[in-house]
Amino acid sequence: QVTAKTAFLFILPQYNVSVPTADGELVQYHYGLKDLVTILFYIFIAIILHAVVQEYALDKINRRLHLSKVKHSKFNESGQLVAFHLTSVIWCLYVVVTEGYISNPRSLWENYPHVYLPYQVKFFYLCQLAYWLHALPELYFQKVRKEEIPRQLRCITLYLLHIAGAYLLNLTRLGLILLLLQYLAEFFFHMARLVYFTDENNEKLFNVWAVVFVVTRLFTLTLYILVIGFGLPRVESQALDPERGNFFSFLFNNILFRMSVLLLVCLFQASVMWRFIHFQLRRWREYWHEQSSRKRAAAAAGTKQQTKLLKRDSGYHENGVVKAENGTSPRTKKLKSP
């Protein structure tokens, strides 16, 4: 029985409490230091699943494609993230629909702070933290190139800050919607990269990703304005109360602070959109340059072919021998002596 209690500490979320409701009691959860033990267990699970996907799916495809080292590394990265993002999008969508966060947008800020979480919400956050923490040792296991490590470290750090911040600051509902939007755009991007590596002439999914990316950015910005600009300032409890998990809702009652946060959010989203537009312009420029190069090469090949035909028809030198128009040599034949 002692072993079972220890096993539950690793496998199941901790800090469950019974919250009284109109229909009786509801078991919910809050966070604490024991969550680190659960996260550690699921880090090992994520490493095992990562190896399974790599061994039984990505390596087999790589053997058939014969990719270069650079493309091989990017293919493995996108393959792993496609599997993760697809699973996370389906899971996150199920959570936000069953909890009613989409059908009732007011629930994103009503009754803040959201100290007590449903089981599936807490378990989702623990698994998300475990996955992005497992990505750190995977940089060594996958032998990622030194040039790629800073970019991947920056991506992992941003995800960890977002997920841990939403979890610890009791903004889990808002964090779920933002993760859903982000993962949806990332899924299409990495799926487009996989298709491109298998067929370099197929870039249609990149266009789909571009549309999804712009739409998700607009929804993200709208959500920030709705929650930060209008939702949190209307929360009844505006006093700083760390024991109850109310860390900063009182700050949003100050219009100067609220506008400053919204300005920072808008500037960040604008920088993301600028990088996206720059990437699209560069891609289109490369595409049109490639198309014009192909047309010039085709035109040059056609001109060369016509020149060869003209030479054969008009009696020029061929293989060092002068030939007439009918293909016979202009030299007179010598009569053999009898």
Side-chain angles (χ1 to χ4, degrees):
Q1 191 172 1
V2 176
T3 307
K5 289 182 179 180
T6 306
F8 288 148
L9 180 64
F10 282 90
I11 298 172
L12 298 176
Q14 304 298 309
Y15 302 105
N16 57 315
V17 293
S18 297
V19 180
T21 61
D23 299 330
E25 289 187 349
L26 182 65
V27 177
Q28 292 192 330
Y29 297 80
H30 59 95
Y31 59 80
L33 290 177
K34 292 181 181 179
D35 290 341
L36 297 176
V37 179
T38 310
I39 291 172
L40 178 63
F41 173 76
Y42 285 101
I43 286 175
F44 292 120
I45 297 296
I47 292 174
I48 294 171
L49 293 176
H50 189 115
V52 169
V53 173
Q54 185 69 41
E55 178 70 23
Y56 293 99
L58 299 179
D59 285 346
K60 291 183 178 180
I61 298 173
N62 272 317
R63 293 190 195 102
R64 295 181 181 180
L65 296 178
H66 304 289
L67 299 174
S68 63
K69 290 184 178 180
V70 176
K71 290 184 177 180
H72 179 83
S73 176
K74 292 182 178 180
F75 184 88
N76 288 336
E77 178 191 357
S78 292
Q80 293 287 348
L81 289 175
V82 160
F84 168 71
H85 286 137
L86 179 60
T87 305
S88 296
V89 164
I90 296 173
W91 189 4
C92 189
L93 183 62
Y94 174 79
V95 171
V96 298
V97 169
T98 54
E99 294 297 331
Y101 300 153
I102 292 181
S103 59
N104 182 21
R106 286 177 171 272
S107 62
L108 297 179
W109 63 81
E110 281 184 343
N111 301 321
Y112 179 84
H114 307 132
V115 179
Y116 299 113
L117 308 175
Y119 171 83
Q120 59 180 353
V121 174
K122 174 162 183 173
F123 189 59
F124 177 82
Y125 270 92
L126 294 181
C127 290
Q128 291 294 313
L129 289 170
Y131 179 85
W132 289 110
L133 285 171
H134 112 281
L136 294 173
E138 285 294 344
L139 295 176
Y140 173 77
F141 295 147
Q142 294 292 319
K143 297 179 180 180
V144 177
R145 296 184 306 132
K146 292 182 179 180
E147 298 82 3
E148 292 290 322
I149 289 178
R151 178 185 63 82
Q152 295 199 27
L153 280 177
R154 185 166 60 250
C155 178
I156 294 169
T157 303
L158 288 174
Y159 273 114
L160 285 174
L161 288 175
H162 171 83
I163 297 170
Y167 184 64
L168 296 175
L169 298 176
N170 302 312
L171 289 168
T172 50
R173 299 179 184 182
L174 176 62
L176 280 173
I177 305 295
L178 294 176
L179 274 180
L180 177 62
L181 295 172
Q182 177 66 20
Y183 284 165
L184 187 63
E186 288 292 309
F187 168 75
F188 279 101
F189 172 73
H190 290 288
M191 194 68 200
R193 279 217 305 185
L194 289 181
V195 174
Y196 175 76
F197 288 141
T198 56
D199 181 11
E200 292 188 356
N201 295 321
N202 191 347
E203 297 187 1
K204 294 180 180 178
L205 267 182
F206 278 111
N207 298 328
V208 177
W209 164 70
V211 175
V212 174
F213 181 87
V214 173
V215 173
T216 53
R217 289 302 101 191
L218 291 176
F219 271 104
T220 299
L221 185 59
T222 304
L223 197 61
Y224 272 118
I225 295 174
L226 182 65
V227 175
I228 296 176
F230 300 98
L232 288 177
R234 297 181 180 180
V235 174
E236 295 179 1
S237 178
Q238 294 289 347
L240 176 64
D241 190 0
E243 293 183 359
R244 292 187 62 250
N246 193 343
F247 294 101
F248 53 80
S249 65
F250 72 99
L251 293 174
F252 290 99
N253 199 28
N254 187 332
I255 188 171
L256 182 61
F257 177 81
R258 188 162 70 245
M259 296 304 295
S260 300
V261 172
L262 287 176
L263 180 61
L264 289 175
V265 169
C266 291
L267 288 175
F268 176 75
Q269 295 298 323
S271 66
V272 172
M273 284 300 299
W274 169 250
R275 289 197 298 269
F276 168 77
I277 293 171
H278 180 71
F279 169 77
Q280 290 296 325
L281 291 175
R282 185 181 62 186
R283 189 169 70 90
W284 288 337
R285 188 163 52 247
E286 291 175 354
Y287 172 77
W288 289 115
H289 178 72
E290 183 180 355
Q291 290 296 320
S292 61
S293 298
R294 288 180 179 178
K295 288 180 180 179
R296 286 197 298 268
T303 305
K304 190 175 182 181
Q305 188 69 22
Q306 290 178 359
T307 305
K308 285 183 178 180
L309 291 174
L310 289 173
K311 285 182 178 180
R312 289 179 180 177
D313 292 339
S314 56
Y316 287 101
H317 287 79
E318 288 188 8
N319 297 325
V321 178
V322 178
K323 291 189 176 181
E325 293 183 1
N326 58 0
T328 59
S329 174
R331 294 182 181 179
T332 58
K333 287 185 178 181
K334 291 183 180 180
L335 295 175
K336 293 182 179 181
S337 58

